[in-house]
Amino acid sequence: MNRRQFVRQGLALAAGAGFAAAAGPALGAGAPRATAPGAAAAALLVPGYRPYRARVGGRPIDQDPAFRRNLPRGYDGATTLVTRLDPDGRVRRALMPVRGHQIVPHPGGGPAFFNSIEGDGFCTFDPATLALDRVLTPHRPGFVGGGHAAYSADGRHLFVLERRTPGAYSGTPADHFGVVAVRDAATLAVVDAFSCHGIGPHDIALTDGGRTLAVANYGSTDWGDSEDGTPPNVIEPSVTLLDAASGALRRKVAGRAGRYEIRHLACPPAGPLVAIQTRLVPDAQERAEVPAGTVYEADDTVDPRLSFTPAPLLAVPAGGGPPAEVACPDGARFRQGQSIVYEPEHDEVIVTFASGHALAVLDAATAALRRVVRTDRLGLYYPRGLALLPGGRYAVSGSWRGLYVFDRGSHAPRPDETRHVTFFEHSHLTPV
């Protein structure tokens, strides 16, 4: 099964059922080790997309009872392998019955919420033990997980992105708009749902003191025939700004239709919103953009008949006005932008580019590009996850394996804190 088939695979869940389980044993954890000198404690959660590549005791991990303890009896739907990295070196893992994407920690220390990517369900689990808490379904039929979620500024509500079930473009963008489903943070009951005014919502962040929701919308309705390598049908990529209380649309910023999807974003408090744009093209187009004779690795994070090609970042001024594109002088680095965070200590925005094997650092006040860090020169390939850590550091994880730590500001690597752990492909890191 390739990644493309995995992404399209359906998810069958028992609606509303809850299943409690203990986390499975460590897989390839080795003995715990002491935290690196000077390192502040921080645990990280990593969702692995390809658990079928993980094995334990000579058989696939999903055949091992210890790792199946979060799964309902007889369950054969999509699963995600969550890895918890503890500061003392322990590695713990557990399978979850969702096609998971982003994990959101509860602001009060309760169960973490795990949104799916185009899956029929979500789940919550104990971030310390990895024991499943409950399984949830979208706010109503015809919708699937959008990928990300965020808690309100007061911690009382959870804003969950949901997409329309993917299908052929109807000719009217509004027919494909997703929603923000508002759940009570304590009970997880749906208390409201309103349109996000965008197609394929994916990432969500609070801005304006928590009064505004910023949503990154892919803008693509479907991927055509999953067997012929057709790229996404990009109709209306956008960033939408919504009133967090009423759901009213405050502003909609369109991207380039037919060219770039808009996938993730960050909202510095005193600078432009920065959004990641990505571009997927068929093989023939990739060949036209790569210098003849260049030898490089095929990108295993996407269908082999498709490739990520360079795409600029999008800077949206906070006070209005047209957006600006932020390109990289070496365009090959800005391929498959993945995670993005605002780093307040140095007023910077940090972005990972998986297929470009690079980090980009922007001035948060202006969105000007400050520097590009070539992670492949450090041994870190396909950097995807990104998380701020205590002690003036941040972590970057490779799509398949490897966690590297950098100093904020200087962006110097800390080799003594590198961890060689396999994640089985992922997109994001969650500190807890």
Side-chain angles (χ1 to χ4, degrees):
M1 180 187 293
N2 60 39
R3 173 168 166 75
R4 176 66 165 284
Q5 292 167 326
F6 173 68
V7 169
R8 304 299 297 178
Q9 178 180 303
L11 174 62
L13 290 176
F19 306 95
L27 174 62
R33 60 175 174 79
T35 304
L44 294 167
L45 300 176
V46 191
Y49 296 160
R50 301 195 197 183
Y52 54 86
R53 293 285 302 277
R55 300 179 69 82
V56 60
R59 59 182 177 176
I61 195 171
D62 65 0
Q63 295 179 15
D64 187 288
F67 290 97
R68 286 192 62 90
R69 294 174 74 178
N70 278 341
L71 307 183
R73 185 180 299 275
Y75 179 81
D76 62 356
T79 58
T80 305
L81 180 63
V82 174
T83 297
R84 178 186 164 105
L85 303 179
D86 287 322
D88 64 1
R90 286 183 298 171
V91 179
R92 288 178 282 166
R93 307 185 195 258
L95 289 166
M96 301 290 175
V98 295
R99 189 197 297 169
H101 184 75
Q102 185 220 18
I103 298 169
V104 187
H106 192 289
F113 181 82
F114 197 6
N115 200 349
S116 70
I117 181 72
E118 294 188 358
D120 294 340
F122 326 105
C123 75
T124 57
F125 65 92
D126 186 316
T129 66
L130 306 186
L132 191 67
D133 174 56
R134 69 185 81 179
V135 175
L136 305 162
T137 55
H139 80 290
R140 67 181 176 87
F143 287 84
V144 292
H148 290 250
Y151 280 95
S152 61
D154 60 11
R156 296 175 57 190
H157 295 98
L158 177 65
F159 300 108
V160 181
L161 289 180
E162 297 183 13
R163 297 177 176 179
R164 296 274 182 177
T165 301
Y169 181 47
S170 71
T172 303
D175 291 345
H176 303 271
F177 286 174
V179 304
V180 179
V182 185
R183 293 179 180 265
D184 181 276
T187 67
L188 294 176
V190 176
V191 297
D192 195 9
F194 46 79
S195 174
C196 70
H197 296 277
I199 300 172
H202 184 61
D203 197 6
I204 184 169
L206 275 68
T207 185
D208 188 30
R211 294 182 293 271
T212 301
L213 300 175
V215 179
N217 302 285
Y218 269 34
S220 48
T221 56
D222 63 276
W223 285 44
D225 185 340
S226 63
E227 297 302 321
D228 67 3
T230 302
N233 187 15
V234 184
I235 302 297
E236 189 186 74
S238 67
V239 172
T240 50
L241 300 176
L242 314 171
D243 184 281
S246 68
L249 178 65
R250 290 182 172 174
R251 186 182 179 195
K252 184 170 184 175
V253 178
R256 290 207 231 171
R259 188 171 180 86
Y260 301 131
E261 292 179 313
I262 296 179
R263 296 195 172 188
H264 297 97
L265 50 74
C267 301
L273 177 153
V274 181
I276 291 175
Q277 301 185 122
T278 61
R279 186 181 181 212
L280 275 167
V281 302
D283 275 351
Q285 196 162 339
E286 179 196 18
R287 290 194 293 272
E289 298 189 16
V290 176
T294 301
V295 177
Y296 59 100
E297 181 182 10
D299 191 340
D300 193 39
T301 67
V302 71
D303 185 286
R305 291 157 297 194
L306 294 173
S307 298
F308 283 100
T309 54
L313 297 166
L314 193 69
V316 179
E325 290 188 339
V326 181
C328 181
D330 179 358
R333 303 279 73 80
F334 276 23
R335 295 170 55 230
Q336 195 188 1
Q338 184 66 73
S339 295
I340 180 169
V341 299
Y342 169 64
E343 196 276 279
E345 184 179 345
H346 300 89
D347 201 31
E348 294 181 330
V349 173
I350 308 172
V351 190
T352 60
F353 287 90
S355 300
H357 310 297
L359 305 175
V361 182
L362 279 65
D363 179 279
T366 64
L369 181 64
R370 284 185 175 176
R371 64 183 299 177
V372 174
V373 178
R374 289 281 301 273
T375 63
D376 53 341
R377 293 175 176 174
L378 304 173
L380 174 59
Y381 294 87
Y382 297 102
R384 294 183 80 165
L386 178 60
L388 300 181
L389 301 177
R393 304 166 302 139
Y394 65 93
V396 180
S397 51
S399 178
W400 194 259
R401 64 171 59 87
L403 183 87
Y404 286 58
V405 177
F406 297 81
D407 285 324
R408 303 191 203 181
S410 70
H411 304 281
R414 299 176 65 98
D416 59 318
E417 295 186 49
T418 300
R419 297 183 67 174
H420 299 289
V421 179
T422 301
F423 304 122
F424 302 97
E425 191 179 0
H426 74 288
S427 292
H428 302 290
L429 291 174
T430 299
V432 292

